[in-house]
Amino acid sequence: MPKAGPASALSRRSALALALAGGAAAIASPAWAVGAVKHYILVELLPGYDQLILDRWYMTFHSQQVRRAFKAWQRNYISFRAYLPPAEATARYPIQYGRMTEIQFDSLADFRETRPHNIYGGLESFTPPPGGWQDQKLFKAVTATIPVNPNELFVSLDTPPKEIPYFRWIIFFKYPKGMTEEAGDAWYRNVHAEEMAKVPGLKRYGLYKAVTETAPYPRVAELWFDDYASWKKAFLPAPKFTPPPSGGAFPFFETISMFVGENPDVDFVNDKRSIP
């Protein structure tokens, strides 16, 4: 077991590991009722590393240990290999490359119950990524715990199985300082969503609100297209949407995002490797 570093470094490393394992402890939740929840984890592969290195560690060690520790509560545990975003897309939008993992729970209470009494103990007991937990440079991870169903669904067209995977744009975002969530949501619903719903080729479009008050990005938008060409037609060049009161250019707020398909390539609950 590696020696623990300074308290601040240990805190950062612990938060990172718990992000991959299912998220940091939820301190509070909004007043509205929450049913089944899902935990989205955007795992960004950092420059200088290949996805094979990330996958070897994640699938062989980390996922198996997470499953052993938390399987009593997990309803599903799947992971999606990201589309490699073209340079023209990353030049305009903050799009990450790596993996998106999704873990579902029957309730927020079940999600919270996974946090204490981890059978592996502290972070040092989990198999570290290449190079170790100290100053880990392989990936970054950001999470959002949201309802299984979107809080608001603005576009919902049929998405039957087809030869080419659907193209999902997962966007984590937060409103700027000085804009309340109520004001931000009102603008988003009444102005932005109506304009966004009209972009060509959009098949499905929903908005999720994080069920914890500690989420670094309290809102998650999810947009589906038939393929990258359809997405490019809609968003390159960037559409001229009506800005919020805070101004700026689309996507207006601080965001991170990822391109994934509709099917995972690995299902850890059923121990299946799938064609994505």
Side-chain angles (χ1 to χ4, degrees):
M1 179 184 297
K3 294 182 180 180
S8 59
L10 178 59
S11 175
R12 290 194 298 272
R13 299 198 307 274
S14 297
L16 179 59
L18 288 175
L20 285 174
I27 296 175
S29 63
W32 43 270
V34 178
V37 301
K38 57 186 177 183
H39 194 68
Y40 275 1
I41 309 167
L42 297 188
V43 184
E44 179 188 12
L45 181 67
L46 296 180
Y49 288 93
D50 190 90
Q51 192 173 40
L52 289 175
I53 299 174
L54 172 65
D55 284 358
R56 173 72 62 88
W57 167 77
Y58 185 57
M59 293 185 182
T60 304
F61 300 107
H62 193 73
S63 63
Q64 303 308 310
Q65 293 165 4
V66 168
R67 181 64 182 149
R68 179 171 180 244
F70 306 128
K71 64 183 178 181
W73 299 275
Q74 290 174 341
R75 182 160 117 174
N76 83 339
Y77 181 8
I78 55 180
S79 191
F80 302 78
R81 184 185 299 120
Y83 278 95
L84 180 63
E88 61 185 358
T90 56
R92 180 58 184 83
Y93 301 105
I95 302 168
Q96 300 179 347
Y97 175 63
R99 284 195 163 274
M100 188 186 86
T101 290
E102 175 186 329
I103 307 175
Q104 292 187 5
F105 301 86
D106 284 329
S107 66
L108 181 58
D110 277 2
F111 169 73
R112 285 175 168 157
E113 196 175 346
T114 64
R115 301 302 90 215
H117 313 305
N118 170 13
I119 62 172
Y120 285 99
L123 169 64
E124 294 82 0
S125 297
F126 283 84
T127 299
W133 291 117
Q134 182 73 34
D135 298 322
Q136 189 276 126
K137 296 180 176 65
L138 176 61
F139 62 85
K140 291 181 180 179
V142 180
T143 70
T145 308
I146 56 181
V148 166
N149 290 322
N151 296 90
E152 300 187 69
L153 190 58
F154 305 111
V155 176
S156 182
L157 302 181
D158 290 342
T159 51
K162 62 186 183 71
E163 182 178 9
I164 299 174
Y166 286 98
F167 192 88
R168 296 164 63 198
W169 191 18
I170 310 296
I171 307 170
F172 287 21
F173 69 94
K174 60 182 175 181
Y175 298 126
K177 291 182 179 180
M179 177 181 288
T180 66
E181 291 189 349
E182 292 77 13
D185 287 345
W187 170 82
Y188 195 99
R189 180 191 312 109
N190 299 325
V191 179
H192 187 62
E194 290 189 3
E195 295 179 350
M196 179 77 83
K198 297 175 183 177
V199 300
L202 185 59
K203 309 287 288 188
R204 185 174 177 84
Y205 171 33
L207 177 69
Y208 299 88
K209 300 177 183 180
V211 297
T212 66
E213 292 181 349
T214 56
Y217 294 90
R219 298 292 182 267
V220 177
E222 184 164 336
L223 296 85
W224 289 46
F225 293 85
D226 276 325
D227 49 31
Y228 175 74
S230 298
W231 178 90
K232 179 180 177 180
K233 182 177 181 180
F235 290 104
L236 291 179
K240 294 182 179 180
F241 293 125
T242 301
S246 55
F250 177 75
F252 303 120
F253 311 124
E254 181 180 337
T255 70
I256 58 172
S257 64
M258 189 170 286
F259 295 150
V260 298
E262 84 274 20
N263 291 328
D265 63 294
V266 59
D267 180 337
F268 297 116
V269 169
N270 296 300
D271 195 23
K272 290 182 178 179
R273 303 297 187 267
S274 306
I275 297 173

